[in-house]
Amino acid sequence: MIIHLRPSVTPEKATELAQISNAIHLLEGERHVLVTSSKDKQVKDELYGHVDQTFLFDNDLQLGSATYRSAKREVQIGDRILGGNKQTTMMIAGPCSVESEAQIESSAQLMKELGVGALRGGCFKPRTSPYSFQGLGLEGLKLMAKMREKYGLAIVTEVRDATHIDAVIEYADVVQVGAKAMYDHGILRACGKARKPVLLKRGFGSSLQEFVQAAEFILSGGNENVVLCERGIRTFETQTRFTLDLCGVAFLKEKTNLPVILDPSHAMGYAYGVPDLTRACMAMGVDGLLIEVHPNPKVAKSDAAQQLNHEEFRNLYDSLRKIGSAVGRTLV
Ligand code: PEP
Ligand code: MN
């Protein structure tokens, strides 16, 4: 249940009422808001006289629910808006990992040339083997920051675990929480306290309910800037890396008030399928796309098979504009 307290309620009183209700206490602008389990259907007696409005839900998709707020949230990323109701699709692209200054600068130049506003690149990589490239760490974050300075691009980079979360929050314009980190409550809570946008990826073994509840951890921490990213789930199929759950995307678009973006690169796992899948995602009408691009995918230190080269990305980008105009969406 979400409870809007009356404007006359003082901060001290709101704190007291939150304790009585066993609720999370938030501020939405000037308004004191209490959030409790969706199982609660009635406010406690002590709250009478202090409540403006209550909102009831069938499950714990509450702050992020379309029944709470019908308007899609807008998340400011660099000089652009992701989400909202203007029918825009934001491109976020770049290599899987930041590998060297020359490599990330080549990617940054491509984004600048095409007018893409956000550069992705992982510095703390959540690899499945300890022997694989783990990322450049802080050095990588500094290179990303340099690209922001030099090319005016917003920087999207992921947090792997709690050891470096403060550094990622400090350097990034958008904090990416990867599929494997979706259940890390230390990360989710830290992202809730931060005010930077959070790009939350769906765990590949997570139900949609678990996914939206992970988003609720961030929203209920007070961070309104959450973007959901579908990146493929694990099914019985082994010919592709994962299975892109477009039904899930339709659900998220309908039932949540959060911007939804799609990552066909990790879902497919092979570059040959990425352009067609991306076009399908654009036609479906999503708020953003996350695509892996590398100056020379053959030598990429992570996710080599799925990254597009610059030529492939240029062609894809061009075709997306055409699809956008056919379905009434603008690529930003
Ligand atoms: C990535 O974006 O490079 C990444 C590791 O993605 P995911 O968390 O979806 O596997
Ligand atoms: Mn990757």
Side-chain angles (χ1 to χ4, degrees), residues 96 266 292 303 306:
C96 179
H266 287 86
E292 285 195 343
D303 287 349
Q306 72 197 29

Side-chain angles (χ1 to χ4, degrees), residues 38-57:
S38 58
K39 294 194 181 83
D40 294 337
K41 301 296 177 196
Q42 263 189 325
V43 296
K44 295 255 191 301
D45 290 350
E46 292 90 329
L47 270 71
Y48 282 113
H50 300 297
V51 175
D52 231 357
Q53 211 180 345
T54 56
F55 302 82
L56 299 179
F57 303 90

Side-chain angles (χ1 to χ4, degrees), residues 251-327:
F251 169 89
L252 297 170
K253 282 176 63 173
E254 178 72 13
K255 304 288 184 188
T256 78
N257 59 40
L258 304 171
V260 181
I261 75 167
L262 269 156
D263 169 358
S265 300
H266 287 86
M268 183 69 205
Y270 301 98
Y272 74 83
V274 171
D276 279 350
L277 267 178
T278 312
R279 284 187 276 270
C281 296
M282 182 78 196
M284 184 175 184
V286 282
D287 300 302
L289 295 161
L290 184 69
I291 308 293
E292 285 195 343
V293 192
H294 192 285
N296 185 1
K298 284 193 201 73
V299 301
K301 292 186 174 168
S302 60
D303 287 349
Q306 72 197 29
Q307 303 201 56
L308 301 182
N309 65 33
H310 286 191
E311 194 51 32
E312 288 164 336
F313 185 73
R314 271 198 197 90
N315 293 339
L316 169 63
Y317 198 72
D318 189 44
S319 69
L320 291 177
R321 287 200 183 287
K322 292 179 197 135
I323 293 174
S325 54
V327 298

Side-chain angles (χ1 to χ4, degrees), residues 126 158 176-183 201-206 231-232:
E158 71 197 281
Q176 179 176 320
V177 177
K180 292 172 197 143
M182 192 206 90
Y183 288 111
K201 287 191 158 197
R202 180 181 181 185
F204 47 75
S206 306
R231 47 75 74 210

